Amino acid sequence: MIRTQRLLLPGLLFSLALPAQSPATLKIGTWNLEFLGADGDFRNKLPLRDDADYQKIGEKIRSLGVAVLALQEISGEAPLRKVAAGAGPSWQVVLGTSGAWDDGKTAQSIGFLYDQKQVELLQAEELLQFPRELEGVPIFHRVPVTACFRARATGFDFRMVTVHLKAGQKKPDEQKRRLEATTLHDWIVALQKTQGEDQDIVV
């Protein structure tokens, strides 16, 4: 299930080359927002973010010039709506439903923030068909989310996948990451072999 709503360090930015007949480019990126909206001390004893912080994050996103931004570590819809409002009235959000902690109030959900002036959302899906356990190991606490977009200026369409693999440096963490990455790889390979499937995919 996907929740779709209206809606500090920059993440990675990429530029997609649009069709040959057009010199235009479309900028996309990804940003791990570090427990955006969490009400506990999860950010190395940094103060909790307030409304002014959400506004500034939204303004920063707008200044990056991205059309779509993949997001990680979102701790609820309300703070993300505030970020979207800071980015501007044309910004919309797709947010996955997984990633909740056992405490019932903290989450690390993933999703997308996108500018409707630049792109149209064609389809979005949380990949809930992915296994949650492999080889006796629990995986995908944060289930990947995929979305397809079309550039309004050119009609160029593409698929993005946002994922937050298991963090940590211990052997069990490495095993979880390997299983998650392998599962995602196999899904993408199968997707690319599907007749009629667009080959423009960014993870």
Side-chain angles (χ1 to χ4, degrees):
M1 186 167 110
I2 291 287
R3 295 189 294 264
T4 304
Q5 311 102 6
R6 288 193 62 179
L7 295 184
L8 266 170
L9 296 175
L12 300 176
L13 297 179
F14 308 89
S15 290
L16 288 177
L18 298 185
Q21 69 270 20
S22 170
T25 59
L26 192 73
K27 188 180 287 187
I28 61 174
T30 182
W31 195 354
N32 183 319
L33 286 168
E34 286 193 339
F35 287 99
L36 181 78
D39 58 3
D41 179 17
F42 302 111
R43 302 178 58 242
N44 297 322
K45 306 205 178 293
L46 292 172
L48 296 181
R49 291 173 171 130
D50 58 18
D51 287 349
D53 293 321
Y54 299 138
Q55 176 72 25
K56 289 176 183 176
I57 294 171
E59 291 171 358
K60 179 63 177 181
I61 290 170
R62 185 175 66 247
S63 75
L64 294 173
V66 292
V68 184
L69 194 64
L71 303 172
Q72 301 84 37
E73 294 197 22
I74 308 301
S75 301
E77 298 178 17
L80 191 53
R81 289 185 182 190
K82 293 177 182 179
V83 169
S90 64
W91 288 85
Q92 300 283 339
V93 168
V94 171
L95 184 63
T97 61
S98 63
W101 285 27
D102 292 339
D103 64 11
K105 59 182 180 179
T106 310
Q108 285 193 328
S109 299
I110 59 178
F112 297 97
L113 183 66
Y114 66 99
D115 182 4
Q116 283 196 121
K117 287 182 179 178
Q118 298 188 64
V119 294
E120 174 189 3
L121 176 66
L122 302 176
Q123 181 263 352
E125 177 187 7
E126 190 170 21
L127 299 175
L128 296 174
Q129 72 273 24
F130 277 13
R132 304 303 288 274
E133 181 178 309
L134 276 179
E135 300 177 11
V137 177
I139 61 173
F140 286 129
H141 174 65
R142 301 160 292 220
V143 177
V145 175
T146 181
C148 299
F149 299 93
R150 177 184 293 126
R152 294 190 182 277
T154 63
F156 173 74
D157 56 7
F158 60 98
R159 177 188 292 274
M160 288 181 67
V161 182
T162 181
V163 61
H164 190 177
L165 301 180
K166 180 67 178 80
Q169 300 178 6
K170 299 177 181 178
K171 283 293 182 184
D173 299 329
E174 294 177 9
Q175 184 182 21
K176 288 184 178 185
R177 270 198 304 278
R178 177 181 57 80
L179 293 170
E180 290 174 345
T182 300
T183 299
L184 184 60
H185 168 270
D186 292 346
W187 176 78
I188 291 173
V189 169
L191 192 69
Q192 290 178 309
K193 292 179 179 178
T194 302
Q195 186 173 4
E197 177 64 35
D198 198 303
Q199 298 299 301
D200 301 305
I201 302 175
V202 181
V203 180

